[in-house]
Amino acid sequence: YKLSDAQNNIIEEPDTVMVYLHGGYSGTFPKIESLLDGKNVGFETTVQLEPHDAFGEYDPNLLKIEPRERFPEPLEIGMQFEGVPEELSEDEILEADEDEDEDDEEIDTLIYTVTELADKQVVLDGNHPLAGMALRFWLQVEDVRQATDDEIANQHPQDEDGFGLDLADEDDLDELDRNGGEAKGSGTSPRTLH
């Protein structure tokens, strides 16, 4: 694939193919998966995703200004930190912690990127870097194969040469392991597109 903005300025043109498990496993955007459904090797297209179909609208409420003393030095623009959205009160955080004991769920955390630095303050942005942007994807199907049993169980492809779009939630990221699966598919398993 090749990723550009709506004005065709290239954002990303990776050297490796994107590999994902087709069939609703969140390996790519739903609109892209729908477009590729049933397509074979050689299929090529360009699709534009509006923000709501990609990384969402830009949310100014996800900007935070924090005291610089709360961060390690050296601190640089572009550094990232994990945090809880400010909309949650202390009571909600405590309540979610109690619920975690009951059903093992966690509060959704965000990755905040340092966007500005001042002597005593740091500006953090919890939006995805591509939030609010219409994105244009050029896509070409290079390979289609049956998914292995391991891939279906893990809900992601195991391919050391490829990668998927980072659409997984934090829990899924802990499970990602792309060491290459050798198990044979059952023949009725979802397809994996490259």
Side-chain angles (χ1 to χ4, degrees):
Y1 77 94
K2 186 185 330 181
L3 173 63
S4 60
D5 64 16
Q7 291 75 39
N8 285 324
N9 298 310
I10 300 294
I11 296 171
E12 184 173 66
E13 191 171 5
D15 295 330
T16 57
V17 296
M18 182 189 99
V19 180
Y20 77 96
L21 188 62
H22 194 80
Y25 294 95
S26 300
T28 190
F29 296 108
K31 190 170 181 178
I32 288 177
E33 185 164 350
S34 177
L35 179 70
L36 294 176
D37 193 38
K39 302 303 188 250
N40 294 311
V41 174
F43 175 77
E44 186 178 322
T45 191
T46 300
V47 61
Q48 181 162 316
L49 301 184
E50 296 305 317
H52 64 274
D53 291 322
F55 293 102
E57 297 293 341
Y58 186 85
D59 183 354
N61 293 321
L62 295 179
L63 286 176
K64 289 178 137 186
I65 298 175
E66 297 287 337
R68 188 170 180 149
E69 64 198 31
R70 294 185 62 196
F71 296 89
E73 292 292 343
L75 185 62
E76 299 175 2
I77 291 177
M79 291 178 80
Q80 295 184 319
F81 298 91
E82 188 174 23
V84 175
E86 211 168 88
E87 301 86 55
L88 294 180
S89 69
E90 286 293 323
D91 291 337
E92 289 172 309
I93 292 170
L94 290 174
E95 185 177 304
D97 285 342
E98 290 169 8
D99 290 345
E100 179 181 332
D101 294 338
E102 295 171 17
D103 58 12
D104 202 30
E105 289 186 18
E106 294 181 15
I107 300 171
D108 288 334
T109 58
L110 293 176
I111 301 298
Y112 287 89
T113 303
V114 176
T115 57
E116 292 182 46
L117 293 171
D119 288 337
K120 297 185 181 208
Q121 293 183 324
V122 176
V123 178
L124 301 168
D125 190 344
N127 288 285
H128 187 281
L130 300 178
M133 292 178 64
L135 301 174
R136 215 171 259 167
F137 286 84
W138 172 80
L139 307 165
Q140 181 178 18
V141 177
E142 294 188 10
D143 189 24
V144 178
R145 65 172 174 78
Q146 290 296 320
T148 66
D149 292 338
D150 284 345
E151 290 171 329
I152 294 166
N154 293 321
Q155 298 189 4
H156 64 83
Q158 296 192 7
D159 186 341
E160 59 195 41
D161 296 324
F163 64 96
L165 293 172
D166 186 14
L167 303 179
D169 64 292
E170 288 298 316
D171 294 335
D172 294 335
L173 293 176
D174 294 336
E175 297 174 14
L176 292 179
D177 178 15
R178 301 186 192 282
N179 294 331
E182 298 300 323
K184 295 190 183 203
S186 66
T188 59
S189 60
R191 299 186 322 161
T192 301
L193 278 74
H194 300 254

